[in-house]
Amino acid sequence: MALAEPDADQFSEIDFSGFSRVPLCHSPTPIEPMSRLSEHLGGPNLYIKRDDCTGLASGGNKTRKLEFLVGEALAENADMLVTQGAVQSNHVRQTSAAACRFGLKCHAVLERRVPGRDQLYESNGNVFLDSLFGATFEFHAAGPDMNAVAAAAADRLRKDGHRPYFIPGGGSNATGALGYASCAQEIAGQSAGAGLDFQWLVTATGSAGTQAGLVAGLTAVGCDIPVMGISVRQPREPQVSSVRKLAGLTLAKLQGPAIPASKILVDDGYVGEGYGIPAASTIEAITLAARMEGILLDPVYSGKGMAGLIGLVRQNFFKASDNVLFLHTGGMSALFAYAPQIVEALS
């Protein structure tokens, strides 16, 4: 799907017409100023891209990916979506809801990735919503390759007579990342339309599809906003490697240019004790966003992403005059599974 010829004064446009796609996302999602938070931090001009408002099952970043993934599943005549994620997976919630929209079944492998959680953690928040959407799921101990476990589950279901379409964790393959190539084009258009130049884009990065898609899409349209990924689960070097590999695969689908290594930026200073374990900086970020802007973040992804943004402001990483855009990946429904820890921290 080649890029359209650019006009002299505009960004290039990506032609997505050759890809199977279904409508799931409320778009364009708004870009809003975070004026009170900016003033509180004494930092640059902070803005937020509200991808918590994508609409599907309380919203979130996976909705954009699922437009392409479900489109491909239907094109392959699938009758079931099979995927995997941690117990409180935002991705599994949105995949379950997307399956409902198109009359598909959904089965998920839920990994007990976060240690020391009680029984309520496995029935509240996103897991409750998975059940409400009629998904079936199986719990597994933490393992090194949960995609392989879920793919094996898909094979088992295929032998039982189903037609499963396998979606990797986070929807993070080159098909899913097209959703954030599309979002990148949306951001470039909103920026140009408002006459507002962003010097930085900051977002949480985990399974890599969101950051990879953004980098691929911005590269494809000829927009040079750097994307800083705040890692939520692993050190910088492996995260950079994952993002760069997936961004390259995504750009290959778009017939776009290669991505230089210098474009993949990751800060791993806010992971804390590990995936799904909120650090003190995570809870501070959740609290500040709520009390300064009335915005709900989640303890796994967007809370750590916002903690990274706040930390970078405090380190004077940005210029005072910079316009910095934070992409909100959603996930507020997971807050309820972490309520006791957050309440204790606030008391």
Side-chain angles (χ1 to χ4, degrees), residues 126-155:
N126 280 320
V127 183
F128 165 68
L129 294 178
D130 299 339
S131 299
L132 185 61
F133 292 128
T136 57
F137 42 86
E138 54 192 80
F139 291 97
H140 281 257
D145 191 351
M146 296 311 294
N147 278 333
V149 175
D155 289 339

Side-chain angles (χ1 to χ4, degrees), residues 14-76:
I14 305 171
D15 178 10
F16 292 101
S17 63
F19 300 105
S20 298
R21 187 178 189 180
V22 295
L24 287 171
C25 183
H26 295 179
S27 62
T29 56
I31 291 176
E32 301 170 346
M34 294 192 287
S35 304
R36 294 195 67 232
L37 183 59
S38 300
E39 182 179 359
H40 174 79
L41 295 172
N45 306 306
L46 301 179
Y47 294 80
I48 187 166
K49 173 72 168 166
R50 296 295 304 271
D51 267 22
D52 58 321
C53 298
T54 53
L56 180 70
S58 83
N61 62 325
K62 311 306 181 185
T63 300
R64 292 187 187 270
K65 300 178 183 181
L66 286 162
E67 287 198 329
F68 291 92
L69 292 162
V70 175
E72 189 169 88
L74 293 174
E76 295 180 7

Side-chain angles (χ1 to χ4, degrees), residues 5 13 65 175 188 190 207 341:
E5 287 298 320
E13 288 190 6
K65 300 178 183 181
T175 298
Q190 287 174 302
S207 59
Q341 179 179 353

Side-chain angles (χ1 to χ4, degrees), residues 307-330:
L309 173 64
I310 291 168
L312 289 169
V313 171
R314 288 172 173 164
Q315 296 164 29
N316 296 315
F317 179 85
F318 308 112
K319 297 177 182 176
S321 59
D322 280 350
N323 296 316
V324 180
L325 179 63
F326 177 76
L327 189 139
H328 188 342
T329 51

Side-chain angles (χ1 to χ4, degrees), residues 1-6 12-15 185 216-217 219-222 251 254-257:
M1 303 334 117
L3 304 184
E5 287 298 320
S12 303
E13 288 190 6
I14 305 171
D15 178 10
Q185 180 167 269
T219 300
V221 301
L251 264 175
L254 298 172
Q255 299 179 20

Side-chain angles (χ1 to χ4, degrees), residues 216-269:
L218 291 169
T219 300
V221 301
C223 181
D224 60 359
I225 304 172
V227 181
M228 175 63 76
I230 307 298
S231 180
V232 303
R233 68 177 188 178
Q234 65 178 350
R236 178 183 175 277
E237 288 306 319
Q239 189 65 25
V240 166
S241 177
S242 296
V243 173
R244 188 181 183 195
K245 179 180 179 181
L246 185 50
L249 292 171
T250 307
L251 264 175
K253 272 184 168 290
L254 298 172
Q255 299 179 20
I259 296 177
S262 59
K263 280 210 168 190
I264 310 302
L265 306 173
V266 171
D267 187 333
D268 63 0

